[in-house]
Amino acid sequence: MEFKLEAHRIVSISLGKIYNSRVQRGGIKLHKNLLVSLVLRSARQVYLSDPCPGLYLAGPAGIPAPPPQQQPGEPAAGPPAGWGEPPPPVARASWPETEPQPERPSVSHAPRVGDEVPVTTVTGVGDVLQGREADATEAAWSRVERPRQAAAGEAEGPAGGWGVFPEGSLAARRPCGCPLGGEDPPGTPAATPRTACCCAPRPAEDEPPAPPAVCPRKRGAAGVGGGPAGCPAPGSTPLKKPRRNLEQPPSGGEDDDAEEMETGNVANLISIFGSSFSGLLRKSPGGGREEEEGEESGPEAAEPGQICCDKPVLRDMNPWSTAIVAF
Amino acid sequence: LKCTEKYVYYLSFQSKSDIISTVEFNHTGELLATGDKGGRVVIFQREQESKNQVHRRGEYNVYSTFQSHEPEFDYLKSLEIEEKINKIRWLPQQNAAYFLLSTNDKTVKLWKVSERDKRPEGYNLKDEEGRLRDPATITTLRVPVLRPMDLMVEATPRRVFANAHTYHINSISVNSDYETYMSADDLRINLWNFEITNQSFNIVDIKPANMEELTEVITAAEFHPHHCNTFVYSSSKGTIRLCDMRASALCDRHTKFFEEPEDPSNRSFFSEIISSISDVKFSHSGRYIMTRDYLTVKVWDLNMENRPIETYQVHDYLRSKLCSLYENDCIFDKFECVWNGSDSVIMTGSYNNFFRMFDRNTKRDVTLEASRENSKPRAILKPRKVCVGGKRRKDEISVDSLDFSKKILHTAWHPSENIIAVAATNNLYIFQDKVN
C-alpha cells in the first residue's frame, strides 16, 4: 500500500524531471532522461501491481471506494530513507508481468533488469489493458494519438512539437525536509502550495486520485464519452474539467489545491511523456520511425510524429485514465 | 610512494564565477589545466624548485587563461549548446609549446599554449607602436632584431573538430600513437586524426534503429595507455566493453565485456541509476581499469570479465537516502576517479567537499575535506569521518548534516608525485604530502 503511494510519488517526480529537462540549457540530456525513464518504469510497475483491491473500485464519478488501509494519522515513523532499501515483495513483481494479481506476487525470482525490460514490460501492461478494458482504452488511446498528429503543426516548444503547457503546474513535488535539508531540486517550480513530504502523512491526500487510475474503463466510459465531441479544436480551453472531477471525491485531510495541481500535472505531463523513448507509450509499433541524422537531438525529436495531445482532448478524458493509458 | 594520509593544505585558487568542470595534469605534472562552466580554461604551472629552498616544493601559479568555448545556438534544432568544458586532455609535449584538447558538448578544440618572451623590434615599415610609416621618410634599411620582453603566454586554437556529434560529448582520449584521439557521446564514439578536422571515423555506434528501444548509453571512454588499438567504454548499465580496433572497422562488437552480476538483495527503484558508471580509467600500467558508479569504485583486471577484483565503498551510507537523492538530482552526479602514479592508491570525490583515497595494498582508506575553514595553509589535513548511526563522536559528522551542494566530482593526481588537485565547486585545492 505504502509502496504504491511512494511509487506514485516517484512517478510524479520523474515526470517532473522529464518536463524540466526540456527547458534546461544545453538541450535534453539523453543519459539522465534514460535513467529517469527507468525509474519511472519501475515505479509504474509497482504502482500497477500493488495489490489493493479496494483502490480499484473507483466509480465513474470519481468517488473512490474507501481504501481499507488508509491511515491519515499514520505516524511518520516509516523512514523516508526506506526508499533505498529493497522494496517489499509486492514491488518485486517480475518484470514481464502479464496481469496484475490481486494477491501479492511471489518473490520467486530476482527481477532482471535486462534488455527485454522496456519492451516486455510495456507489452505486459499493454496486454493487461487490452484484457481488461480493451475497447475503451483503445478508443481513448487512439483518440489521444490522432489529435497529436493533428496538432503537429501547433506550438513548437524547444524540443520540437511539444506543445504548450500551463506554467508552473508541472512541478515535481517539493522535496521533503528530511533528510537532506529540503532543498528544491534545481529547475523545479516551487509553485506547489503544500509541502510535499515523503513522510507518511501524505497518503491521505494521495488516496483519492489513485483509485480511478487503474480502472480506465470505468472512468473512461464517463470521461471519454465526451471524446468525439472533444476532438481537437485548436485549443484555448484550459484543463478545468478534469480538475473539477477530482474535487469531488471526499477524502479526509485532503488538500484540494495541491491535488488539483497534481492532476493537472499528470494530465499535462502525459503529453511530454507521449514522445518519450524506451517504449513507455508503445501500443503500436508505428511511432518509432527511422529518423535522419539531421533530426536527431534527443529522444523527443526522434519522434516528431508523436506530438503532444491537444488540451481540449485531455480535458475530456479523466486525467488518471489518461495517465495510466499513457503509461 | 608512501601512503597518502598526511596531506598538507597547500594552495587554493578561487574562481569568482564559475564552477570547475574538469581538472587534468599534463604528462610531466608541470602543468595543471582546469575547465569551467563558463567555457574558460585556466592553466597552472609549477614553479621551478629553487635551489635555496630545497625543502620547499614548487608551487602552482596561474600560467594562462583563455576562453576555449563560447555558448552557441543550434538554430536548426532550437537548442542552446553549453560552453561548459566537459573534459581537457593534454598531448605529450613534443616541442616548446604545449597542446591540449578541450571539449564542450559538441565541439573539440586543439589549443596550442606557447610562450613568447622576445619580440621583434626595428621594423622598417612600421614604427614602434606598429603604425605604418610614410615610405617617403624611410631612408635607411635595417634588420629587425629580437629583444627580450615580459613573458607572455598565448593560447591559440589550432584545430576545431566540430559537427561530428549529435549527442553530448562526455569523453575525449588521446591515443598512445599521439596521432589520433577519440571523442565519445551518449551513443557514438568517433576517431579523429589531429591533422584532419573535416572528417572523423565512427568506431562505435550503439544507437538502436528504433530510439524507443534505447536501454543504455555510453558514459565514458578511454584509450589504453600503451596499446593504440585498444580502448574501453563504459555504459549506463554498469558494464564496460573493451574493443580492439584491429578486429573490425566498426567496433560494435566488443572484445571483452566486463559486468558484475547484480546483487538482488540491493534491488530498489534506483538500482539502475546507481549502477551507471560515471568514469572509467585505465591504470598507468594498462593492466587494470577502474570504474566509478554512484556508491562505489571498482578495480577490474583486464583478464577477468565476470567481476571486479576490488570494490571500494565510497559513501555507502547514502544507500538508504537514494529516494531523496533522486529528488534533488544528486543521484545523477557524475563522480570521477583517478589513479596515483604507481597505481597503488585511488581517489574519488564525495559530498560535503569530502574526497576519499583507497590504498590498494594496505586496504586502508581515508576521507579528507577540501575546505578553507578546516585547513590552515601548511597544516596537515585531518581525516574526516561520517557517523552512520548511533552515537556521534566529537569530530564526526552525521549523514544528515552533509552538505550535498558541496560535491567533489573532479580530482587529478600528479603523474609521479604525491600532489593532488581537487575541484570543489568553484575552488581549486592543491594538496601535496608533507615533506619533512
Side-chain angles (χ1 to χ4, degrees), chain A residues 9 17 81 83 115 278, chain B residues 207 212 237 269 320 327 329:
Chain A
R9 176 164 164 266
K17 288 188 192 300
W83 269 118
D115 291 342
S278 300
Chain B
K207 181 171 182 288
E212 295 271 315
K237 275 190 175 173
F269 283 129
S320 57
E327 255 186 291
D329 272 0

Side-chain angles (χ1 to χ4, degrees), chain B residues 178-237:
Chain B
Y178 304 152
E179 291 182 358
T180 57
Y181 75 94
M182 69 165 153
S183 55
D185 67 25
D186 292 316
L187 298 179
R188 299 193 175 96
I189 301 180
N190 294 330
L191 183 70
W192 301 84
N193 184 299
F194 280 111
E195 301 302 319
I196 301 169
T197 59
N198 60 358
Q199 45 178 313
S200 69
F201 195 67
N202 176 245
I203 53 176
V204 173
D205 187 339
I206 65 167
K207 181 171 182 288
N210 180 359
M211 277 295 278
E212 295 271 315
E213 291 158 19
L214 180 72
T215 58
E216 69 180 325
V217 297
I218 298 169
T219 53
E222 194 180 51
F223 269 116
H224 191 283
H226 312 310
H227 303 143
C228 57
N229 55 288
T230 303
F231 64 93
V232 292
Y233 68 92
S234 59
S235 86
S236 55
K237 275 190 175 173

Side-chain angles (χ1 to χ4, degrees), chain A residues 9 13-14 17 25-26 28 31-32 81 83-84 86-87 95 113 115 175 179-180 185 276 278-279 291 296, chain B residues 77 80 83 166 168 207 209 211-212 214 237 265 267 269 272 276 319-320 323-324 326-327 329 334 400 404:
Chain A
R9 176 164 164 266
I13 293 170
S14 303
K17 288 188 192 300
R25 202 167 165 251
I28 293 149
H31 182 200
K32 182 176 176 186
W83 269 118
W95 282 101
V113 182
D115 291 342
L180 294 176
S276 176
S278 300
E291 66 276 351
E296 294 167 355
Chain B
K77 298 170 192 166
E80 189 176 7
E83 66 277 28
T166 307
H168 294 129
K207 181 171 182 288
M211 277 295 278
E212 295 271 315
L214 180 72
K237 275 190 175 173
S265 68
R267 188 100 181 84
F269 283 129
E272 283 130 332
S276 175
R319 196 177 287 274
S320 57
C323 186
S324 306
Y326 178 71
E327 255 186 291
D329 272 0
K334 295 186 182 168
D400 296 325
F404 288 86

Side-chain angles (χ1 to χ4, degrees), chain B residues 2-7 357 362 364-366 368 380-383 433:
Chain B
K2 62 185 182 219
C3 185
T4 53
E5 279 160 349
K6 296 190 177 67
Y7 266 87
M357 289 182 188
T362 65
R364 291 198 306 207
D365 62 82
V366 67
L368 300 171
I380 294 176
L381 290 184
K382 204 169 51 176
D433 62 351

Side-chain angles (χ1 to χ4, degrees), chain B residues 31-42:
Chain B
L31 298 180
L32 175 67
T34 63
D36 66 24
K37 268 187 76 175
R40 284 188 319 160
V41 172
V42 179

